[in-house]
Amino acid sequence: MSSCDLLVFVDSTASTRDSWVFRKLQRQSSFRRGGVIPTAICLSKAAIGAGVLSVSVHAAEVGALYQLACLMCRGQWSTVFLVHIDNPYPKALKWMISVASIETKKWSFEDVCEELFHPVMSIFTGFMNACVCLGSAAGYLIVCGQVFVVIFQADNATRNLFVVLVGIFVCCPMALARHVGFMRHLAALSVGALILLVIVVAWYMGDRGIDESVTTENFLLGPGGATFITYMNSINNMIFAYNNQFNVPQLTGELTPEPSRNGMTKVALLSTSISFLLYASVSILGVLAFGVAENQKDSLILDLMPVRKEIHVLISLIAVMFSVLTCFQFHIYPVRQFLAYLVRKARGRSSDDEKTDVVYFGRSLTRWYDIFCALGSVCLVVLIAVVITSLRAMLDFIGAFGAAYISFMVPPMWIIALRRKDEKNFSWFSREILFSVSFLALGLFLFVFGTYSAILPILGL
């Protein structure tokens, strides 16, 4: 062997060893893409967005006890699971979704529905999912507009221009990411940004004292006069608060070294705990700092307007804008998946055919369609955010109309369909199926009456 050949051999061996070490370290990294911690943070960030800004408004109307009870119940529905003697089965929404994704090897709502039901069901579910995500994303741009108005005292025309510019130069480029896990570092920073907002609200209460309208009774039970519609809209807000189910299939598929129920259980527990702590903190501190009933404005952004010139308040408002723009991307991704599903069906292709697709300018035609769909989705969201300016009305309607269907109706239907494939052991009276049917009935109630409750204030009734 010549000296040159020896050098090449040594270099290649070192390169192989270094790459092996790098891959091993990457697998061991706790914050790698597909790890439990970053996946949980991404999932919690998908839930914690604009909803955290209006949650104290509902707490001021119905009382802290009712609000915290709803938060705890909703959180438990998302994470708690029971274990059968030899067969673990889900009692959690995220668990239900991850089980369906893992057992079908499908990583989107549309593909799972097609596998278990029919393409028509896939299109309807995808449409509902897209409506939820488009409305949520519009809520985030509405928050950006509110922050801009509070900081600069801008008029409505200037606010609309700002929303359009943010959509074009910030949201459009970020919406092109292939994987949700790409956002894990930004998601961690944005959760920190919302923690800063909680600290600022606590400072406001400490600096100005508890609002004079707050008493022990109305803090715990509400000021009185709340109707059934008021309590129902509070539940709608709670549904929206934990509404991150649309990202579960994608994040389940991105888990490393491979998708697993155990991994998603840890993800669900961690993400829901983060969400509950933030929502509960804001609910309590928001009521104590800004008062009950009519004293509360549409969001914490507007509540902080009197002290907007304080430097730490200004920083927290900018941090909130950064946080909701990060959350924006998690809601655009399911819309892209739905549009990609429609394009695939129109072209007669399957979900794993991209490698065999024609290539233009270094990218497959599937990827080009994905890019155009992402940009079109952002443009539609910008249009919605310019037309609608009320954050609370938007979130209540989304929580009732679309999120109730996606969160409470689709997952139990998946579990029932999966178990019915095993015709010999299937029974409608098993604990798992009875629980799924009960959850389905609850979802139907929330979908019908929740939507009715959310529409009445919008219509001024």
Side-chain angles (χ1 to χ4, degrees):
M1 179 183 290
S2 66
S3 59
C4 291
D5 292 337
L6 181 61
L7 286 174
V8 170
F9 173 78
V10 171
D11 288 343
S12 63
T13 303
S15 176
T16 301
R17 184 178 65 251
D18 291 344
S19 62
W20 177 83
V21 171
F22 175 76
R23 289 196 302 270
K24 185 175 180 62
L25 290 174
Q26 189 179 40
R27 286 197 299 269
Q28 293 177 346
S29 173
S30 60
F31 214 75
R32 68 188 185 279
R33 183 168 71 85
V36 170
I37 294 177
T39 301
I41 291 177
C42 286
L43 197 57
S44 62
K45 188 67 207 90
I48 308 170
V52 77
L53 301 175
S54 64
V55 72
S56 64
V57 181
H58 292 282
E61 293 178 336
V62 300
L65 289 180
Y66 180 83
Q67 182 86 346
L68 293 176
C70 289
L71 282 170
M72 291 183 66
C73 290
R74 181 67 172 92
Q76 287 179 343
W77 291 341
S78 294
T79 56
V80 176
F81 62 94
L82 298 177
V83 179
H84 215 269
I85 296 176
D86 294 316
N87 178 32
Y89 68 88
K91 189 177 178 181
L93 297 176
K94 299 182 187 70
W95 183 267
M96 286 181 175
I97 297 172
S98 62
V99 165
S101 296
I102 291 170
E103 292 192 13
T104 61
K105 302 298 181 183
K106 303 296 181 181
W107 314 115
S108 73
F109 270 78
E110 296 80 15
D111 289 329
V112 174
C113 281
E114 182 174 359
E115 178 74 15
L116 297 177
F117 302 112
H118 189 272
V120 174
M121 180 68 172
S122 300
I123 294 174
F124 177 74
T125 300
F127 173 75
M128 294 292 287
N129 203 15
C131 288
V132 173
C133 293
L134 287 172
S136 302
Y140 302 140
L141 287 184
I142 290 173
V143 170
C144 290
Q146 286 186 348
V147 171
F148 182 77
V149 170
V150 168
I151 294 176
F152 297 103
Q153 294 295 285
D155 58 19
N156 192 55
T158 308
R159 173 254 181 204
N160 291 342
L161 177 61
F162 174 76
V163 168
V164 172
L165 293 177
V166 168
I168 293 174
F169 294 106
V170 178
C171 297
C172 281
M174 293 182 68
L176 301 180
R178 270 185 174 268
H179 303 287
V180 179
F182 162 79
M183 303 291 295
R184 62 191 183 279
H185 297 96
L186 293 177
L189 290 174
S190 63
V191 171
L194 290 178
I195 293 175
L196 177 61
L197 176 66
V198 174
I199 294 173
V200 168
V201 174
W203 163 84
Y204 184 95
M205 183 187 69
D207 183 64
R208 304 206 171 190
I210 297 176
D211 190 88
E212 60 183 12
S213 66
V214 177
T215 64
T216 302
E217 182 178 359
N218 63 25
F219 169 71
L220 294 175
L221 303 176
T227 64
F228 170 79
I229 301 300
T230 304
Y231 286 102
M232 196 68 221
N233 280 334
S234 180
I235 293 176
N236 292 341
N237 189 256
M238 293 305 100
I239 294 174
F240 179 82
Y242 289 97
N243 184 42
N244 53 9
Q245 283 73 31
F246 43 79
N247 285 132
V248 173
Q250 303 96 290
L251 290 172
T252 300
E254 293 179 20
L255 277 179
T256 56
E258 62 181 1
S260 67
R261 300 183 185 185
N262 184 51
M264 280 308 296
T265 300
K266 296 176 182 177
V267 168
L269 287 169
L270 182 56
S271 65
T272 304
S273 298
I274 294 172
S275 301
F276 174 79
L277 289 175
L278 271 173
Y279 283 124
S281 300
V282 171
S283 296
I284 294 172
L285 293 175
V287 173
L288 293 176
F290 304 112
V292 298
E294 299 300 327
N295 288 15
Q296 290 273 346
K297 295 182 174 62
D298 188 58
S299 72
L300 290 179
I301 302 299
L302 300 180
D303 286 325
L304 290 171
M305 183 179 289
V307 291
R308 64 185 180 279
K309 294 184 180 179
E310 297 284 349
I311 183 63
H312 52 285
V313 176
L314 181 63
I315 292 174
S316 71
L317 293 177
I318 296 174
V320 166
M321 187 184 299
F322 164 76
S323 181
V324 296
L325 287 177
T326 301
C327 200
F328 181 97
Q329 313 311 321
F330 289 99
H331 290 74
I332 288 297
Y333 196 91
V335 180
R336 288 168 52 191
Q337 283 193 319
F338 173 57
L339 296 176
Y341 175 82
L342 295 179
V343 171
R344 286 203 318 267
K345 288 302 171 184
R347 298 180 64 202
R349 302 180 66 85
S350 63
S351 58
D352 54 355
D353 283 352
E354 182 176 357
K355 293 182 180 179
T356 61
D357 204 355
V358 295
V359 176
Y360 294 100
F361 304 104
R363 290 183 175 85
S364 66
L365 186 57
T366 299
R367 177 57 176 159
W368 280 115
Y369 279 126
D370 180 46
I371 291 173
F372 294 142
C373 290
L375 297 178
S377 301
V378 173
C379 293
L380 179 58
V381 170
V382 170
L383 178 62
I384 296 173
V386 168
V387 174
I388 300 176
T389 59
S390 174
L391 177 65
R392 180 181 173 184
M394 170 70 75
L395 300 188
D396 287 348
F397 181 74
I398 294 169
F401 177 69
Y405 174 76
I406 295 299
S407 299
F408 288 88
M409 297 178 67
V410 173
M413 286 193 294
W414 283 355
I415 295 300
I416 294 172
L418 280 171
R419 300 302 174 246
R420 289 195 68 183
K421 288 186 174 182
D422 186 6
E423 296 181 359
K424 294 182 179 180
N425 298 320
F426 177 80
S427 172
W428 284 103
F429 299 101
S430 67
R431 288 186 296 171
E432 181 181 14
I433 298 302
L434 287 175
F435 174 79
S436 298
V437 172
S438 300
F439 229 103
L440 181 61
L442 174 62
L444 184 61
F445 169 80
L446 294 173
F447 177 77
V448 174
F449 289 97
T451 303
Y452 172 75
S453 302
I455 288 177
L456 290 182
I458 295 176
L459 300 178
L461 301 175

